[in-house]
Amino acid sequence: MSPKAAARPGGRSARVQQAVHAAVRELQAEHGRAELTVPQIASRAGVTPSTVYRRWGDISELLSDVAVERLRPETPPADLGSLREDLEHWAVDFLEEMSSPPGRSYIRDALAGDPDGGNAGQCSAYAVEQVDTILDRATARGEHVPDTDTLMDHVVAPMMYRILFRPGLLDAQYARDLVTTVFYRLMPLP
Amino acid sequence: MSPKAAARPGGRSARVQQAVHAAVRELQAEHGRAELTVPQIASRAGVTPSTVYRRWGDISELLSDVAVERLRPETPPADLGSLREDLEHWAVDFLEEMSSPPGRSYIRDALAGDPDGGNAGQCSAYAVEQVDTILDRATARGEHVPDTDTLMDHVVAPMMYRILFRPGLLDAQYARDLVTTVFYRLMPLP
DNA sequence: CCACTAACGCAAACCTTTCGCTTTTATGTG
DNA sequence: CACATAAAAGCGAAAGGTTTGCGTTAGTGG
């Protein structure tokens, strides 16, 4: 069902998927996302519209796939020497990227064309991965660390909630304050 | 722009809006949301498709409006006699309603057809209203209460995040645990 | 190297969306 | 209360997007 789990992942299928994804990114950059149409995308990618409809079902599922790709972190979180600094820095970066107009669009696209929640789950998995990297490093340093889920629930979730439902209440200090709350209130004491 | 802020809210416009909304609800119940089409909706509502397109722009904005309407709380939160009980009961109810398949659909519909975030903001405003009702009652009883934003950030946001991004990690106990965390860790001490 | 079949291209049928114009009807004013 | 004004709805046609069946191409495994 999902285009990600293609039964025949090599060769032409892979080329078509890459070409279509690239076409979506190009056309999104040139015109708005609102004006995207499947025939335009297909033409740019050098395939026929029916190919796109067959593989993705409709345009929102295609946009969802492309959005998830763009929300994938490109680099591991910075290592600043302490858990507190790493988390604050990562949270500020995450918030800045996700709360930007393009970031919010990608998040909403990822959610919209995603009936079974697979793509949204992938977004969350990216954040878990980044957080775990920071926590593993801190553990290796011998620091006491909070649970991954504590950070997801009380740092990531509040930021995402405000991004989606309460725009206008966001700045870097908010991200830092959430990390501070985890440190002073929610972290298991040694 | 938004159909909610109609320049001419009375009479025929209001009747058309009600008829269209009712048609959407009926057709959603009869067939799936995937099979909804504007001409079907218009026909059921006794208007022409062009009327729907003119007022709502496209079908996702219409679905967003209808979804927000369905997410409006119908009753104030139950008064069980204490802040703790009121919050736990409300959180469990909220989670159950929002995490159900129809609830998740409405949330995603509300987010999808909502470029400026107005409808999503309304959803959040409903939750704020319910929480404030509980907090005001507790204050009147003389209880110490947390901030509204503390509850939004650390009870509502984690639930919504899991509903949207991490389905399958949800049960009533999770809602109660979030309230417990606020009580033992995040509430200002008297 | 061959058989098998998923995936693609093509084209026709169908449906959705938009546009210009006309008609209806709230709403405010004399 | 009648009238003027303009917002909103109706209508039909044209443009464009979506869906589907069938033949062909080209990965994949034996």
Side-chain angles (χ1 to χ4, degrees):
Chain A
M1 192 79 225
S2 176
K4 290 282 174 64
R8 186 175 279 187
R12 180 170 62 171
S13 293
R15 282 197 304 274
V16 167
Q17 170 164 339
Q18 287 180 352
V20 170
H21 279 213
V24 170
R25 287 191 296 270
E26 291 168 19
L27 290 170
Q28 271 183 340
E30 292 174 23
H31 326 300
R33 180 183 53 275
E35 302 171 28
L36 284 184
T37 68
V38 171
Q40 274 181 341
I41 294 164
S43 168
R44 173 72 64 109
V47 300
T48 59
S50 61
T51 295
V52 174
Y53 287 118
R54 267 186 227 284
R55 284 196 52 171
W56 283 276
D58 63 14
I59 198 172
S60 69
E61 286 190 38
L62 171 56
L63 291 180
S64 179
D65 281 359
V66 174
V68 171
E69 218 173 64
R70 302 188 80 146
L71 292 172
R72 183 198 316 261
E74 296 173 359
T75 58
D79 185 346
L80 303 175
S82 75
L83 174 60
R84 176 71 178 271
E85 287 174 292
D86 285 2
L87 282 176
E88 286 198 356
H89 186 262
W90 177 78
V92 169
D93 269 13
F94 180 88
L95 179 59
E96 185 178 337
E97 186 182 330
M98 294 295 188
S99 65
S100 68
R104 294 187 58 213
S105 288
Y106 297 146
I107 297 167
R108 295 196 304 121
D109 286 346
L111 287 171
D114 187 27
D116 56 0
N119 282 346
Q122 187 60 53
C123 294
S124 174
Y126 291 150
V128 168
E129 197 180 314
Q130 299 280 93
V131 165
D132 277 345
T133 299
I134 292 173
L135 294 183
D136 288 347
R137 278 200 309 238
T139 301
R141 289 188 199 109
E143 297 186 70
H144 289 280
V145 303
D147 290 339
T148 302
D149 281 347
T150 298
L151 287 167
M152 296 302 292
D153 285 344
H154 298 286
V155 176
V156 175
M159 292 194 293
M160 289 296 283
Y161 184 81
R162 290 199 179 190
I163 288 168
L164 288 173
F165 294 99
R166 308 176 87 187
L169 293 172
L170 290 164
D171 56 21
Q173 189 56 43
Y174 176 64
R176 283 189 285 263
D177 288 346
L178 289 170
V179 173
T180 299
T181 296
V182 169
F183 264 76
Y184 282 97
R185 307 287 189 107
L186 298 175
M187 195 151 70
L189 299 176
Chain B
M1 192 78 222
S2 174
K4 291 281 175 63
R8 187 175 276 188
R12 180 171 62 169
S13 294
R15 283 196 305 275
V16 168
Q17 170 163 341
Q18 286 179 352
V20 170
H21 279 211
V24 170
R25 287 191 296 271
E26 291 168 19
L27 290 170
Q28 271 183 342
E30 292 175 21
H31 325 302
R33 181 185 52 275
E35 301 172 28
L36 284 184
T37 68
V38 170
Q40 274 181 341
I41 294 165
S43 167
R44 174 72 64 109
V47 301
T48 59
S50 60
T51 296
V52 174
Y53 287 118
R54 265 188 235 283
R55 286 196 50 172
W56 282 276
D58 63 14
I59 200 172
S60 69
E61 285 190 40
L62 171 56
L63 291 179
S64 178
D65 281 359
V66 174
V68 171
E69 215 173 67
R70 303 188 79 146
L71 292 172
R72 185 197 315 260
E74 296 173 0
T75 58
D79 185 347
L80 303 176
S82 73
L83 174 60
R84 176 72 177 269
E85 287 174 294
D86 284 2
L87 282 177
E88 285 198 358
H89 186 262
W90 177 79
V92 169
D93 270 13
F94 180 89
L95 179 59
E96 185 178 338
E97 187 182 330
M98 293 295 188
S99 65
S100 68
R104 294 188 58 212
S105 288
Y106 296 147
I107 296 167
R108 296 197 303 121
D109 286 346
L111 286 171
D114 186 27
D116 57 359
N119 281 347
Q122 187 60 53
C123 293
S124 173
Y126 290 150
V128 167
E129 196 179 315
Q130 298 281 94
V131 166
D132 277 345
T133 300
I134 292 174
L135 294 183
D136 288 347
R137 278 200 308 238
T139 301
R141 289 188 199 109
E143 296 187 70
H144 289 280
V145 302
D147 290 338
T148 303
D149 280 347
T150 297
L151 288 166
M152 295 303 291
D153 285 344
H154 298 286
V155 176
V156 175
M159 292 194 293
M160 290 295 283
Y161 184 80
R162 292 200 178 190
I163 289 167
L164 290 173
F165 294 98
R166 310 175 86 188
L169 293 171
L170 291 163
D171 56 22
Q173 189 55 44
Y174 176 65
R176 283 189 286 263
D177 289 346
L178 288 169
V179 173
T180 299
T181 295
V182 169
F183 264 76
Y184 282 97
R185 308 287 189 106
L186 298 175
M187 195 151 69
L189 301 174

